[in-house]
Amino acid sequence: MGTDEPDGREILVVGAYFVDLIFHGLPEPVRPGREVFADGFTMMPGGAYTLAMAAHRLGHDVVWATDFGTDPFSTHVLHAARAEGLDESGFRHQPTPLRSLTVALSTPEDRAMVSFQDPSSPQPLSSLLRQYRPRVLMVPQLRYDADTVHALKLARHLGITVVMDCQDVAVDVDTPGVRAALASTDIFAPNAEEALRLTRAPTMDDAISRLTELVPTVVIKLGSAGATATHDGERYDIAAPQISALDTTGAGDCFNVGFVHGLLAGWPPAKCLAAAVACGTAATTGPGSSTAPGTADLERWLARTTISSRAAAAREQRRQPVQPPATH
């Protein structure tokens, strides 16, 4: 699970900001023709901001490559980034509005989202990789266009570890470019529904099996049930601490940062997964990503996690001596 260490930055995050308009504490899912009142409302910075902010809170050297416009949503996230002390070297400021926002309707179990984004042309990924030479590249959603696939191959050539989320992208492994993108990704972290849809597999075990044919490390988010991961033919499972979640918006991004935090610390896969679940769980205790943990908070959440390794358990069982039959 170690990474090569180019002479450059520790983490490069690429991706757009979003402003999350979060209605939390909904008593039931919103249905057409019905009005539901939320217990609370919060406007929070989100999108790739969450990755950069959460990594920074855990003490990492992170650069976030993104664009801002002249609109109030851009201003809101830019102020939040500065308040967190994020490095601004990757920011580009456009002379026109560049709105990115999501309305999140959050119940304790899940959330529904409606998003809007002004069109934009992101910074070329290959150029960013050459400029910053990070140890880890974090990509917040499955990107499979030709330019991205080329950049991911460059990342591998440069010894950069690529960590990619899936998000709600309506493709599968047979969509042109998807297999090539996954084949150049080191750690892929979809949630359960995304993994099943992407692989068109009938079961989660089948989905994991198909993904591990393409990606060395597969990490599946299971929501309140925890997470499972495979690495080098071994599978790890962890149950999330039992809590009363306020809002799940941003939890998946915090989860990914927790895994990368462990990776950069040189932790074994099981502890990386524990850190991921700990960070993701912590994030659900407040609106948006506001409760993303720092290092001290992470240690407290880690103490509440339980990991199991299926392969390790099987090996241990095989090592147990066969007991002779009881005699009377």
Side-chain angles (χ1 to χ4, degrees):
M1 294 289 291
T3 63
D4 294 325
E5 188 170 357
D7 294 327
R9 306 299 294 268
E10 194 173 28
I11 299 173
L12 170 64
V13 173
V14 294
Y17 85 84
F18 271 82
V19 169
D20 294 330
L21 308 175
I22 304 167
F23 295 82
H24 56 84
L26 293 171
E28 60 182 273
V30 178
R31 297 178 177 86
R34 295 286 306 278
E35 181 179 22
V36 178
F37 277 84
D39 287 341
F41 169 79
T42 307
M43 184 170 75
M44 296 288 299
Y49 163 87
T50 301
L51 294 173
M53 175 275 295
H56 181 72
R57 285 190 183 181
L58 289 174
H60 293 289
D61 168 41
V62 56
V63 58
W64 174 27
T66 196
D67 288 1
F68 295 103
T70 58
D71 55 281
F73 300 109
S74 291
T75 300
H76 177 74
V77 178
L78 182 58
H79 284 171
R82 288 171 173 166
E84 288 283 344
L86 298 186
D87 185 340
E88 298 186 37
S89 62
F91 296 174
R92 291 194 312 187
H93 299 274
Q94 304 295 348
T96 58
L98 190 59
R99 300 164 296 174
S100 296
L101 61 150
T102 294
V103 175
L105 307 173
S106 184
T107 67
E109 293 77 25
D110 208 343
R111 68 194 186 280
M113 295 179 289
V114 179
S115 297
F116 171 83
Q117 188 173 32
D118 282 318
S120 64
S121 298
Q123 302 177 54
L125 182 52
S126 292
S127 297
L128 291 170
L129 294 175
R130 291 190 177 96
Q131 178 180 356
Y132 293 109
R133 297 295 180 100
R135 291 180 63 188
V136 175
L137 167 66
M138 298 193 74
V139 185
Q141 70 180 125
L142 176 57
R143 290 172 50 176
Y144 55 94
D145 59 277
D147 288 343
T148 296
V149 170
H150 172 74
L152 297 180
K153 291 178 179 178
L154 174 63
R156 180 154 291 177
H157 174 73
L158 295 174
I160 298 167
T161 297
V162 176
V163 181
M164 185 181 287
D165 204 324
C166 185
Q167 301 294 344
D168 192 16
V169 180
V171 299
D172 61 42
V173 290
D174 292 325
T175 301
V178 169
R179 287 181 183 271
L182 293 177
S184 296
T185 297
D186 298 287
I187 300 167
F188 184 53
N191 64 31
E193 182 179 347
E194 292 162 351
L196 290 169
R197 183 174 61 245
L198 186 66
T199 60
R200 291 179 290 138
T203 69
M204 183 53 58
D205 285 346
D206 290 328
I208 291 170
S209 177
R210 294 177 188 182
L211 288 173
T212 54
E213 293 174 359
L214 296 170
V215 187
T217 301
V218 176
V219 184
I220 309 290
K221 308 178 187 82
L222 302 176
S224 61
T228 186
T230 59
H231 175 72
D232 281 348
E234 190 154 349
R235 182 163 166 180
Y236 306 89
D237 298 282
I238 181 167
Q242 296 302 301
I243 64 165
S244 179
L246 176 68
D247 174 38
T248 59
T249 307
D253 289 326
C254 292
F255 176 104
N256 294 344
V257 167
F259 198 93
V260 168
H261 176 71
L263 176 74
L264 290 169
W267 292 350
K271 192 173 181 181
C272 290
L273 185 62
V277 171
C279 286
T281 303
T284 68
T285 61
S289 56
S290 60
T291 51
T295 51
D297 290 331
L298 175 57
E299 288 301 318
R300 288 191 287 271
W301 283 104
L302 276 171
R304 300 175 60 180
T305 61
T306 303
I307 311 164
S308 66
S309 166
R310 297 189 183 189
R315 287 198 302 269
E316 182 64 26
Q317 187 176 30
R318 289 194 296 269
R319 284 196 293 265
Q320 295 300 319
V322 176
Q323 298 297 324
T327 57
H328 299 282

